[in-house]
Amino acid sequence: MADITRRLGWRHLRGAPTAHIRHHRGEELLHDGPGLSFWYRALSAALSEVPVDDRELAMTFHARTSDFQDIAVQATVTYRVSDPALASARLDFSIDPDTGIWRGAPLEQLGTLLTESAQQHALDVLARTTLASALVDGVASVRERVAAGLAAEPRLPATGIEVVAVRVVALRPEPEVERALRTPAREQIQQEADRATYERRAVAVERERAIAENELASQIELAKREEQLVEQRGTNTRREAEEHAAADAVRAEAEAARTVKLAGAEAERSVRLARAEAEAAREVGEARAQAQAAWLRVHADVDVSTLHALTGSRLAENLPSIDSLTISPDVLTGLLAKLGVRDDA
């Protein structure tokens, strides 16, 4: 949009470098070119502004394939106005001299023209193509056909329009059809994923089996070594027992020999001691017999009363000590009676 300012009945227009300005006063062309700046009177000026930059036109339309399937085409056409004078003569690019706004909608007209032309060529290609082929190779074929068709379209050069590039973004079937088409691929992908999972599990099981076999082999080897160790320990224990037994036998023989020697010495000493004791006993007996004989010879010449007195004294010596003695009259009477009887005798 042009930049227009007001000054006392005059207007000043300042255009952009990408806008081609044409200024007519009556049939006279006063200004013609991009990026112009000039004064004019609004009542007598006829202005038109034609954009000469590259513009992108996005379009979406539906088509039907040869197998009667609906498909959506998303494309973008890049174009520019190559002949502003011709375009301003064929399309309404006039602007309000007071505001600089287009009086009509020229860009919408250009968009409709390009969209219908591109759609016509795309429909012509897709109508002879199956849905599967269109989804696989349709983007390139539709782009080439649309580009060739727009290049050969006679209305575009006659309007001063030049097509720069054509891009087909996507060809999309209906959502239900798209889901149906995705199902086999998804199933295949799922099968591949399941197979990978099974293979991974199989590998894991194989590794676990190998680990278990290694552990079992290790346990078997350990058991064999333990058996060897037990056998070696038994051999060592048996050898130690034999050595201990041999040592005990030697010790027992030495102890027996020493015991026999000590027993012989003890027996000899006992015999000697017994002989000595017997000799001493015999001598003691003889001495006692001699003493007894002497004692009897001494007492043979002593009278009976003296013997009774000696006997009483010996008896008194052997009796225990008596602190006090109580003699009842009955005992004393009996004793006196016995003494009287003896005196009478």
Side-chain angles (χ1 to χ4, degrees):
M1 186 179 67
D3 184 11
I4 297 176
T5 57
R6 300 180 182 182
R7 291 293 186 274
L8 301 174
W10 289 84
R11 303 290 185 269
H12 183 269
L13 184 144
R14 184 173 59 188
T18 57
H20 189 97
I21 306 298
R22 291 176 64 85
H23 176 207
H24 289 80
R25 187 170 58 192
E27 295 181 357
E28 183 182 4
L29 180 60
L30 300 179
H31 299 92
D32 185 15
L36 297 179
S37 179
F38 54 88
W39 291 91
Y40 65 92
R41 286 186 177 272
L43 295 177
S44 60
L47 301 174
S48 61
E49 182 182 13
V50 181
V52 293
D53 57 336
D54 291 349
R55 290 183 174 265
E56 302 285 342
L57 176 62
M59 58 185 69
T60 301
F61 53 88
H62 291 270
R64 180 169 291 183
T65 61
S66 61
D67 49 358
F68 305 101
Q69 298 296 325
D70 290 337
I71 189 170
V73 181
Q74 297 178 359
T76 302
V77 176
T78 304
Y79 69 95
R80 65 171 173 260
V81 179
S82 59
D83 192 345
L86 184 59
S88 63
R90 298 296 298 274
L91 298 175
D92 186 11
F93 282 97
S94 63
I95 61 175
D96 190 316
D98 290 327
T99 61
I101 299 174
W102 277 318
R103 296 178 185 269
L107 295 182
E108 294 181 3
Q109 294 177 357
L110 282 177
T112 302
L113 175 61
L114 291 171
T115 300
E116 291 178 353
S117 299
Q119 184 175 359
Q120 179 181 358
H121 297 292
L123 292 176
D124 189 19
V125 174
L126 294 174
R128 295 191 299 270
T129 308
T130 61
L131 178 61
S133 299
L135 294 178
V136 175
D137 301 324
V139 172
S141 61
V142 170
R143 181 180 65 249
E144 293 174 359
R145 181 59 182 274
V146 170
L150 292 178
E153 180 66 33
R155 292 186 58 188
L156 297 180
T159 313
I161 305 301
E162 179 185 358
V163 176
V164 178
V166 176
R167 296 188 302 276
V168 177
V169 180
L171 299 178
R172 300 291 298 275
E174 293 182 346
E176 294 81 3
V177 177
E178 187 174 4
R179 284 195 295 270
L181 293 175
R182 288 178 179 177
T183 300
R186 289 183 177 179
E187 291 295 332
Q188 184 177 1
I189 293 173
Q190 186 63 40
Q191 291 176 3
E192 294 292 336
D194 294 340
R195 183 166 62 253
T197 301
Y198 295 150
E199 291 178 356
R200 185 171 61 252
R201 290 179 180 176
V203 171
V205 171
E206 183 66 22
R207 289 180 179 176
E208 290 179 358
R209 185 184 63 80
I211 293 173
E213 290 180 355
N214 292 333
E215 291 180 353
L216 182 60
S218 299
Q219 292 178 0
I220 293 173
E221 184 66 21
L222 182 61
K224 290 181 179 179
R225 292 185 179 182
E226 288 180 353
E227 182 180 359
Q228 295 176 358
L229 179 60
V230 170
E231 183 178 357
Q232 185 64 35
R233 285 180 177 176
T235 302
N236 295 337
T237 303
R238 185 168 59 253
R239 185 177 300 171
E240 290 179 358
E242 291 176 355
E243 292 178 356
H244 286 305
D248 292 340
V250 173
R251 191 183 304 108
E253 291 178 358
E255 188 69 24
R258 188 178 62 181
T259 302
V260 169
K261 185 176 181 180
L262 292 176
E266 185 69 23
E268 184 178 359
R269 188 179 60 181
S270 298
V271 170
R272 293 177 181 178
L273 181 61
R275 289 178 181 178
E277 290 180 353
E279 184 68 21
R282 186 177 60 76
E283 292 178 356
V284 170
E286 291 178 357
R288 287 181 179 177
Q290 293 176 3
Q292 188 70 23
W295 185 78
L296 290 174
R297 284 194 302 268
V298 171
H299 290 81
D301 299 334
V302 181
D303 58 359
V304 176
S305 61
T306 304
L307 293 175
H308 286 169
L310 290 173
T311 302
S313 64
R314 289 292 183 86
L315 181 63
E317 290 178 356
N318 295 324
L319 288 177
S321 61
I322 299 174
D323 294 333
S324 61
L325 179 63
T326 302
I327 301 174
S328 62
D330 296 335
V331 175
L332 184 60
T333 304
L335 291 174
L336 293 177
K338 289 180 178 182
L339 291 175
V341 172
R342 289 179 179 179
D343 290 338
D344 291 337

